[in-house]
Amino acid sequence: DALRERLAGGVEGLLCMLTDPVGADLIAAAPDLRAVSTYAVGTDNIDLAAAAERGIPVGHTPDVLTETSADLALALMLAVMRRIPAGDAEVRAGEWLTWEPARLLGHDLHRATVGIVGLGRIGQAVKRRVEGFGARVVHSGRTDGMPVEQLLEEADVVTLHCPLTDATRGLIDEAALRRMGPDAYLVNTARGPVVDTDALRRALEEGWIAGAALDVTDPEPLPADHPLLSAPNLVVAPHLGSASHETRAEMADIAVDNLLAGLAGTPLPHRAN
């Protein structure tokens, strides 16, 4: 409603975030809109076709956040596999009284098979990182790699780096989670709706998988009283994939450059539609 009110009269450019829904109705309600630029790489919040019908270019910020997002995926992977948040919580609660051989045992990344779903820019950057740890890597992509079902059965860690499309929405559902073993981990730094939230909650509560680490959720933001947050062996970050000083500054520059180019009627440096 706020966006519609602001766009109603005379506004020619929109600089939005990934949490702003820019659908066909909103575009139709902005008669003077000539350019849209999103401060993100993903564009699933924008109706690209509706913008194209109006001749409105849509800019986004690819490439610049690839390495930073891959860093976070690796951090989440290590955090959930080695139970770092649980250990931190025990220390802060005064429960770290002595060293015990079987206390807070996790699993090794260097011994693991890591399954990457979506071997695009970020997926390839994650591949380089986990191979540096000595992990074995398998992948599933749109045109190459193994079937997702086989990957789920082989991988000790499944890390998601696919875009949100009709084909990937709900990709990790109950059937997919049951294919993973009780010692397997799920990492999602792609988009929340790629994972069935309720199925993931049950998978963690009933021990279908060992744990999960999420930078994205469905819904997002995740309410503090959401049932998923009571599930065991879960790490959740508030969508920090690109959250470094350096990367966010570069994203801002690109987003503004895209918008200024669109308003000037020149080609956008990074156009999505």
Side-chain angles (χ1 to χ4, degrees), residues 7 21 29 32 63 70 79-80 93 97 116 125 138 151 159 208 241 243 252 265 267 270:
L7 290 172
D32 299 311
D63 300 324
V80 69
L97 305 178
I116 300 175
V138 296
L151 180 146
T159 180
W208 309 348
H270 298 280

Side-chain angles (χ1 to χ4, degrees), residues 62-246:
D63 300 324
V64 64
L65 50 70
T66 295
E67 302 298 332
T68 303
S69 298
D71 282 352
L72 185 76
L74 186 67
L76 288 172
M77 206 176 293
L78 289 167
V80 69
M81 293 180 74
R82 296 302 303 273
R83 306 190 65 185
I84 293 171
D88 179 83
E90 284 201 2
V91 172
R92 295 176 187 276
E95 298 173 359
W96 184 28
L97 305 178
T98 184
W99 184 87
E100 299 176 16
R103 190 179 190 84
L104 289 174
L105 297 187
H107 289 278
D108 293 323
L109 177 56
H110 69 272
R111 303 177 196 269
T113 294
V114 176
I116 300 175
V117 179
L119 201 64
R121 290 183 296 266
I122 297 174
Q124 291 177 34
V126 171
K127 181 177 184 288
R128 293 194 298 271
R129 284 158 173 75
V130 297
E131 286 179 336
F133 273 73
R136 170 178 174 254
V137 176
V138 296
H139 81 276
S140 177
R142 283 176 291 183
T143 59
D144 60 358
M146 61 176 58
V148 173
E149 294 79 8
Q150 181 183 351
L151 180 146
L152 294 170
E153 293 172 355
E154 286 194 21
D156 302 301
V157 184
V158 175
T159 180
L160 305 176
H161 303 287
C162 51
L164 179 63
T165 65
D166 290 341
T168 63
R169 186 178 297 273
L171 177 70
I172 306 301
D173 56 9
E174 178 175 343
L177 290 162
R178 288 188 180 277
R179 284 182 181 274
M180 298 170 62
D183 292 330
Y185 296 89
L186 176 69
V187 178
N188 187 13
T189 58
R191 284 289 185 265
V194 175
V195 177
D196 181 324
T197 299
D198 186 59
L200 177 60
R201 176 189 59 79
R202 289 184 287 122
L204 293 169
E205 291 176 349
E206 298 175 19
W208 309 348
I209 63 174
L214 312 174
D215 187 43
V216 290
T217 58
D218 184 23
E220 187 175 310
L222 197 65
D225 60 351
H226 195 282
L228 178 64
L229 293 176
S230 64
N233 300 326
L234 174 70
V235 178
V236 182
H239 208 137
L240 298 178
S242 62
S244 73
H245 288 286
E246 300 85 355

